[in-house]
């Protein structure tokens, strides 16, 4: 958008990929991931068929963390470099993070039901953490939409987004301290205790969900920028 | 150190204001005692002391919230915040002074609340008292910061609890943990870590909350 602004190399290259190409790649990747999850990956030894939701649950959770982190990074760029696009990018990233966070709660809830017979388990750390994060980032929207558009709104949003990346590890630690860890540990300290097709399936699903998230981010960003341009045009002709 | 002189002057202003107007502290005191009475009737006869100990933390969080909600009201009503931002002092001094003043109010409220709690329910261990002190630091650091954010919005009083409670969950976990387990060291350490991390973030970013 704005030429000559400082960009991370990889992100800069990603931004030049046209949206239709991204969308097509996401469709192919998600289809491939679904095929792998349902037809190729073997059943889990202990949890059986229901374990397959793990591939999406974990991929989505990772994507949500990444979105929150990216939103905070853009918030930092706003405060630090006064990057004019950073505020909108931060907001859209956090919006994506909340949507994926809700999906984590939904998939985690389904997994808990089929593994332990309850829709909600306070002993499942990931679910509790995402509930806390959901409450925190839902308040982000309340904050953002009760301030008028302008530099103050951008500042408050950015600072709050930065609070988020401090809250994530602190809450993680707090929830670990609060209860026993009974979530089935798939990645142990000795590496993944699954191999072959399971690992491939997880990897492809992760890439697919990331591609989907990035595509949605770009679509949302394009829409929001169009809205802003339309508003400016309207104001200048009014 | 002119920074600490600024902080002292600003905190002194808040304490003087409270001493003369008595807006906040009596409300906090009355509130916390009323909450204890409500707790008495919401705990059935056979519920354990542990449950009451947990509820103490609910009382502390909500009493603090009452004080935090009032913290920036004088600044807003008299438009003092604009003048403070114009003043040639570091903006984080405004946050630090307000946090210290709020901490003083909360500490006085707890000096009454803890003995009343002991009278109504049960006495507290030394670890629980230490946890309350550590939690107060975090509550006031984060709460004051969010209070300044909330007064900048249209929703104002409505917004503060929504912003504050998700951030207070780790404090409650650390506090309740330190009050109920046999070896509270990890929980106290966690509270200290929380205070340190959030105080740093608040101190570094307060400028952006009050300026454009």
């Amino acid at each position: 958008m704005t030429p000559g602004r400082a960009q991370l190399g990889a992100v800069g290259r990603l931004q030049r990929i046209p949206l239709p190409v991204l969308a097509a790649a996401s469709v192919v990747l998600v289809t491939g991931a679904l095929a792998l999850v349902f037809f190729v990956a073997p059943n889990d030894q202990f949890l059986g068929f229901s374990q397959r939701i793990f591939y999406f649950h974990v991929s989505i959770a990772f994507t949500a963390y990444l979105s929150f982190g990216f939103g905070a990074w853009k918030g930092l760029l706003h405060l630090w470099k006064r990057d004019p696009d950073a505020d909108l990018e931060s907001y859209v990233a956090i919006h994506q993070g909340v949507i994926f966070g809700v999906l984590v709660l939904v998939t985690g809830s389904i997994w808990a039901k089929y593994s332990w017979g309850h829709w909600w388990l306070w002993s499942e750390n990931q679910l509790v953490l995402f509930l806390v994060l959901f409450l925190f980032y839902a308040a982000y929207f309340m904050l953002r939409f009760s301030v008028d558009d302008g530099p103050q709104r951008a500042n408050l949003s950015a600072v709050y987004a930065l609070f988020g990346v401090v809250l994530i590890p602190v809450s993680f630690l707090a929830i670990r301290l609060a209860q026993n860890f009974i979530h089935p540990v798939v990645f142990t300290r000795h590496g993944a205790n699954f191999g072959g097709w399971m690992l491939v399936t997880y990897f492809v699903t992760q890439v697919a969900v990331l591609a989907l998230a990035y595509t949605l981010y770009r679509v949302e960003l394009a829409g929001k920028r169009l809205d802003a341009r339309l508003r400016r045009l309207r104001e200048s002709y009014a | 150190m002119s920074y600490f002189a600024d902080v002292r002057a600003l905190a002194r202003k808040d304490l003087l204001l409270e001493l003369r107007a008595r807006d906040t502290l009596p409300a906090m005191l009355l509130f916390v005692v009323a909450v204890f009475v409500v707790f008495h009737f919401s705990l059935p006869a056979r519920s354990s002391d542990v449950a009451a100990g947990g509820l103490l933390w609910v009382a502390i969080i909500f009493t603090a919230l009452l004080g935090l909600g009032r913290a920036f009201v004088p600044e807003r009503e008299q438009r003092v915040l604009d003048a403070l931002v114009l003043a040639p002092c570091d903006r984080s001094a405004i946050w630090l002074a307000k946090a210290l003043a709020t901490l003083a109010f909360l500490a006085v409220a707890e000096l009454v609340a803890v003995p009343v709690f002991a009278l109504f329910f049960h006495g507290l261990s030394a670890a629980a008292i230490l946890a309350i002190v550590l939690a107060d630091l975090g509550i006031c650091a984060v709460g004051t910061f969010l209070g300044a954010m909330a007064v900048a919005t249209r929703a104002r009083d409505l917004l503060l609890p929504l912003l504050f409670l998700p951030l207070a969950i780790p404090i409650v976990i650390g506090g309740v943990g330190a009050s109920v387990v046999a070896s509270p060291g990890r929980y106290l350490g966690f509270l200290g870590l929380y205070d340190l991390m959030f105080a740093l973030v608040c101190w570094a970013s307060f400028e952006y909350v009050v300026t454009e």
Side-chain angles (χ1 to χ4, degrees):
Chain A
M1 285 258 121
T2 329
R5 80 184 152 103
Q7 268 297 345
L8 283 178
V11 175
R13 273 196 295 282
L14 268 179
Q15 278 179 342
R16 281 198 293 273
I17 303 175
L19 204 45
V21 176
L22 267 178
S26 302
V27 169
V28 171
L29 278 166
V30 171
T31 313
L34 281 170
L36 281 171
V37 166
F38 282 107
F39 301 113
V40 180
N43 265 346
D44 184 81
Q45 220 177 329
F46 305 105
L47 297 164
F49 188 79
S50 69
Q51 182 265 346
R52 286 163 199 259
I53 200 169
F54 153 84
Y55 298 111
F56 275 100
H57 176 70
V58 175
S59 304
I60 289 170
F62 180 75
T63 308
Y65 285 130
L66 211 63
S67 302
F68 292 140
F70 188 70
W73 164 247
K74 286 292 178 182
L76 187 68
L77 278 186
H78 164 76
L79 295 177
W80 180 26
K81 303 266 189 202
R82 293 282 152 193
D83 183 341
D85 292 333
D87 174 52
L88 190 64
E89 287 167 350
S90 168
Y91 162 66
V92 171
I94 286 173
H95 194 180
Q96 292 286 315
V98 171
I99 293 170
F100 280 79
V102 171
L103 287 176
V104 172
L105 288 176
V106 171
T107 54
S109 195
I110 294 170
W111 192 14
K113 176 67 182 168
Y114 284 96
S115 302
W116 297 291
H118 297 283
W119 291 106
W120 183 260
L121 279 178
W122 284 108
S123 50
E124 206 178 343
N125 291 331
Q126 176 108 306
L127 275 185
V128 178
L129 178 58
F130 267 92
L131 185 62
V132 172
L133 291 182
F134 173 76
L135 291 173
F136 177 82
Y137 283 106
Y140 172 87
F141 295 110
M142 300 282 293
L143 175 72
R144 190 174 171 92
F145 293 115
S146 74
V147 185
D148 290 326
D149 197 358
Q152 189 171 36
R153 180 167 93 171
N155 278 354
L156 292 182
S157 304
V159 169
Y160 197 74
L162 284 176
F163 262 60
V165 287
V166 181
L167 182 69
I168 291 173
V170 167
S171 290
F172 178 78
L173 199 63
I175 291 163
R176 283 288 287 266
L177 278 174
Q179 58 213 3
N180 304 324
F181 193 66
I182 66 148
H183 203 291
V185 181
V186 179
F187 287 111
T188 62
R189 263 165 222 193
H190 315 289
N193 61 6
F194 59 73
W197 281 109
M198 282 179 141
L199 203 60
V200 171
T201 306
Y202 168 68
F203 185 71
V204 172
T205 313
Q206 182 66 77
V207 173
V209 172
L210 281 173
L212 180 67
Y214 185 67
T215 309
L216 291 172
Y217 167 79
R218 285 276 301 269
V219 170
E220 181 79 0
L221 205 57
K224 290 266 189 263
R225 280 183 178 147
L226 208 59
D227 274 354
R229 266 179 67 192
L230 190 62
R231 204 163 44 241
R232 277 200 299 276
L233 274 174
R234 271 213 189 107
E235 276 161 10
S236 60
Y237 283 102
Chain B
M1 289 296 280
S2 75
Y3 183 81
F4 291 104
D6 291 341
V7 171
R8 199 166 60 221
L10 286 167
R12 191 169 161 271
K13 171 208 63 145
D14 285 330
L15 295 176
L16 263 180
L17 207 63
E18 178 60 26
L19 215 59
R20 291 182 185 156
R22 294 191 196 87
D23 270 342
T24 309
L25 199 51
M28 287 168 82
L29 288 172
L30 213 60
F31 179 80
V32 74
V33 176
V35 165
F36 285 155
V37 177
V38 171
F39 283 168
H40 170 73
F41 289 107
S42 42
L43 289 169
R46 270 165 299 150
S47 53
S48 67
D49 276 358
V50 178
L55 285 180
L56 172 66
W57 286 90
V58 180
I60 289 175
I61 293 292
F62 283 97
T63 308
L65 211 43
L66 204 66
L68 292 166
R70 297 287 305 172
F72 278 97
V73 167
E75 267 79 359
R76 184 184 75 203
E77 282 173 355
Q78 315 290 336
R79 301 192 65 79
V80 176
L81 207 54
D82 298 339
L84 286 181
V85 170
L86 286 174
C89 74
D90 196 310
R91 273 68 177 253
S92 65
I94 304 172
W95 163 76
L96 188 55
K98 189 61 90 179
L100 288 175
T102 314
L103 183 65
F105 299 158
L106 189 58
V108 174
E110 281 164 355
L111 279 179
V112 175
V114 169
V116 171
F117 182 82
L119 184 70
F120 286 178
F121 300 96
H122 59 83
L124 292 171
S125 63
I129 305 280
L130 191 56
I132 291 175
V133 173
L134 284 172
D136 285 355
L137 298 177
I139 289 170
C140 291
V142 173
T144 311
F145 190 92
L146 296 175
M149 272 185 160
V151 291
T153 67
R154 282 190 302 267
R156 286 182 179 162
D157 307 358
L158 186 66
L159 204 55
L160 181 61
L162 294 176
L163 298 177
F164 180 67
L165 287 179
L167 283 160
I169 291 169
I171 298 181
V172 173
I173 291 174
V176 174
S179 323
V180 299
V181 300
S183 53
R186 276 164 58 183
Y187 294 93
L188 294 175
F190 171 74
L191 283 173
L193 182 73
Y194 180 98
D195 295 348
L196 194 70
M197 285 180 77
F198 276 102
L200 270 176
V201 177
C202 293
W203 177 78
S205 56
F206 188 75
E207 179 174 352
Y208 301 107
V209 173
V210 288
T211 56
E212 294 202 337

